[in-house]
Amino acid sequence: MTAAEDGPTPPRQAPFVVDPYPTLARIRANGPVSILHSDEGLPMWVVARYRDVRAALADPRFGQDARRAQELADRRVAGVTLGGDMVHMLNSDPPDHTRLRRLIHGFFTARRVAAMRPLVQRITTALLDELADRDTVDLVADFAFPLPMLVICELIGFPPEERAAYRSWSTAILTHGDDPAAFGRALRELTEHIAVVLRRRRTDPRDDLLTLLLAARDQGQLTDDEIVGMVFLLLIGGHETTVNLLGTATLALLRHPDQHAWLRRNRAALPAAVDEFLRYESPVSMATLRFTTAPVDVDGVEIPAGELVLVSLGGANRDPDRFPDADRLLLDRGDAGHLAFGHGTHRCLGAFLGKLEGEVALAGLLDHFPALALAGTETDLRWRNTIMLRGLESLPVAPRG
Ligand code: HEM
């Protein structure tokens, strides 16, 4: 069963938000690049075929610098906010990008992340134990969200009891087009919060990222604004993505009982299954906005210099020229060539951690709740209202079936 066959569109949700794949298939069929317009009328080029997406992500002629992207947008349509107010590695180009990424790279190596398995396991078990006696739970609010949030708080050195505030700031910032006032407020409050925690950490150093960032600042390796940007990126990038993975992977299992049963019988296949979940529902559906710094030929079509470009990871991961039967979830596909973590210079720094969290969380769900079932109907499902991310707002389930 594909997502497109899964029932009518819930009220007030744009069809693209509920199921982007038919549109992405049309964009791929249309040619190597298409031009779309944002609600404000801003033209953006879209690349959605696997080969072209992979090439674009590795091509230094596609810039990321948020300030330059905003200038390009301003020249086209007055008053458009791209939302890149906070400068961090994901919206910077080398050499700033290289310097910022190098500073914290050591926290995310395979070895360092493997050492975090007991922490991820402990958090997972504690969360699932709490759900055991309940008839219905919201798998997103009660599990998929707190798990990566508690992990990233530990890694950064942030007070986990503030996690509800982090979630609402994060939502307001990511959906900035919906409510610009809420966006501005969230950005201000988060910046102030980061400054307060940093001040506290100065007198109470620990083995966490905040302590490392403070030391780097003292050595002149980054500025105060860059610390705030770094923490902002890790807090948001470190949970929004994994929340989406856990929610959509669970939904995919509930929608595909044959695959669910197969995974129970083949538990050793879980790491590879996580790759298939990432391919099937790319948690970051659209890479962050790029722009051309020079004319670029995409499979015979030229994008001139100075154009804004959307690179569709969700489109690439469902490209039938790369993945046979691309719209089917096949947990034994055995192909980790998806682009869900991006590719090239900005490939996800937290990829090992995201995969570890996916593995431990799904193993925990299979162990704790073998009869897990959807509570409510498909039409009750709410998807996050953004074209950039692919995730559920909530997922009501009955843990004991
Ligand atoms: C399943 C989970 C995750 C997915 C699918 C994911 C996806 C991505 C993607 C697609 C990019 C590149 C975006 C682009 O090129 O525009 C990215 C970058 C990044 N991710 Fe992740 N991510 C995940 C988990 C995490 C976690 C857990 C962390 C941190 C704790 C993290 C930190 C970052 C950072 C810092 C970058 C920027 C890298 C750079 O600019 O060089 N991610 N992620």
Side-chain angles (χ1 to χ4, degrees):
M1 187 165 56
T2 67
E5 293 162 358
D6 281 335
T9 305
R12 292 187 300 108
Q13 292 234 285
F16 184 85
V17 167
V18 176
D19 181 8
Y21 301 108
T23 308
L24 292 173
R26 278 197 296 278
I27 292 173
R28 277 194 312 267
N30 188 43
V33 286
S34 302
I35 299 182
L36 298 183
H37 290 85
S38 73
D39 290 344
E40 300 91 348
L42 187 65
M44 285 180 278
W45 299 64
V46 188
V47 182
R49 294 177 181 175
Y50 182 92
R51 210 172 57 149
D52 303 331
V53 165
R54 197 165 188 280
L57 293 173
D59 188 333
R61 290 172 300 174
F62 287 91
Q64 296 270 98
D65 186 313
R67 286 156 292 198
R68 287 182 64 197
Q70 184 66 54
E71 277 165 28
L72 290 171
D74 290 344
R75 266 188 242 155
R76 297 279 161 76
V77 180
V80 176
T81 316
L82 296 180
D85 306 44
M86 200 87 85
V87 174
H88 47 69
M89 79 178 85
L90 187 51
N91 60 22
S92 304
D93 289 324
D96 286 337
H97 169 267
T98 323
R99 171 176 54 87
L100 294 171
R101 188 164 166 130
R102 266 198 204 129
L103 272 176
I104 61 162
H105 174 259
F107 264 75
F108 295 95
T109 58
R111 206 157 55 101
R112 184 92 187 218
V113 169
M116 291 178 72
R117 188 178 276 270
L119 169 76
V120 177
Q121 187 67 66
R122 214 168 38 245
I123 293 173
T124 301
T125 307
L127 289 169
L128 290 174
D129 282 347
E130 270 180 37
L131 305 183
D133 294 332
R134 305 210 350 227
D135 290 335
T136 56
V137 302
D138 177 357
L139 191 103
V140 173
D142 298 328
F143 182 58
F145 162 67
L147 167 51
M149 179 52 94
L150 290 169
V151 173
I152 195 70
C153 281
E154 175 82 21
L155 197 69
I156 296 178
F158 251 30
E161 54 281 5
E162 302 287 343
R163 62 183 187 266
Y166 303 151
R167 178 69 166 167
S168 73
W169 289 333
S170 186
T171 301
I173 290 166
L174 287 174
T175 53
H176 59 88
D178 294 354
D179 186 347
F183 168 72
R185 212 169 33 246
L187 212 53
R188 228 178 15 259
E189 288 174 2
L190 175 56
T191 308
E192 283 164 15
H193 180 72
I194 293 172
V196 169
V197 184
L198 276 171
R199 267 200 302 279
R200 268 191 241 140
R201 187 49 36 87
R202 193 160 262 310
T203 53
D204 177 22
R206 300 181 196 174
D207 181 23
D208 59 23
L209 262 160
L210 283 182
T211 306
L212 176 135
L213 293 174
L214 280 171
R217 182 180 68 178
D218 290 348
Q219 288 158 20
Q221 293 172 307
L222 84 172
T223 65
D224 284 355
D225 284 351
E226 286 172 339
I227 292 194
V228 174
M230 184 82 92
V231 174
F232 163 85
L233 173 65
L234 291 171
L235 187 69
I236 293 188
H239 88 275
E240 286 286 354
T241 49
T242 313
V243 177
N244 294 347
L245 167 65
L246 301 186
T248 55
T250 306
L251 178 63
L253 284 176
L254 296 176
R255 280 174 166 176
H256 299 82
D258 58 325
Q259 296 293 301
H260 198 168
W262 181 87
L263 194 55
R264 294 193 164 291
R265 290 195 306 274
N266 296 277
R267 293 292 295 269
L270 197 49
V274 170
D275 276 311
E276 175 65 354
F277 288 124
L278 285 163
R279 182 199 71 79
Y280 184 70
E281 294 279 25
S282 315
V284 178
S285 187
M286 204 69 90
T288 48
L289 195 62
R290 264 64 174 172
F291 57 87
T292 44
T293 58
V296 180
D297 180 288
V298 178
D299 215 7
V301 180
E302 186 180 284
I303 306 181
E307 296 293 329
L308 298 171
V309 183
L310 289 170
V311 182
S312 172
L313 305 177
N317 285 338
R318 293 283 191 112
D319 185 344
D321 286 343
R322 173 61 181 78
F323 300 102
D325 235 349
D327 284 331
R328 279 186 68 198
L329 178 77
L330 295 171
L331 295 181
D332 63 349
R333 188 180 288 275
D335 185 343
H338 63 77
L339 299 176
F341 289 118
H343 178 64
T345 313
H346 292 277
R347 187 176 193 276
C348 180
L349 185 61
F352 290 122
L353 181 56
K355 277 202 65 175
L356 173 70
E357 289 174 342
E359 256 179 74
V360 174
L362 292 173
L365 268 183
L366 293 177
D367 287 342
H368 276 66
F369 304 128
L372 188 77
L374 204 57
T377 62
E378 288 274 347
T379 47
D380 296 333
L381 294 176
R382 311 297 301 165
W383 292 89
R384 301 208 78 185
N385 188 26
T386 152
I387 65 160
M388 307 305 282
L389 298 175
R390 173 72 176 155
L392 288 156
E393 269 176 22
S394 63
L395 180 59
V397 294
R400 284 167 283 123

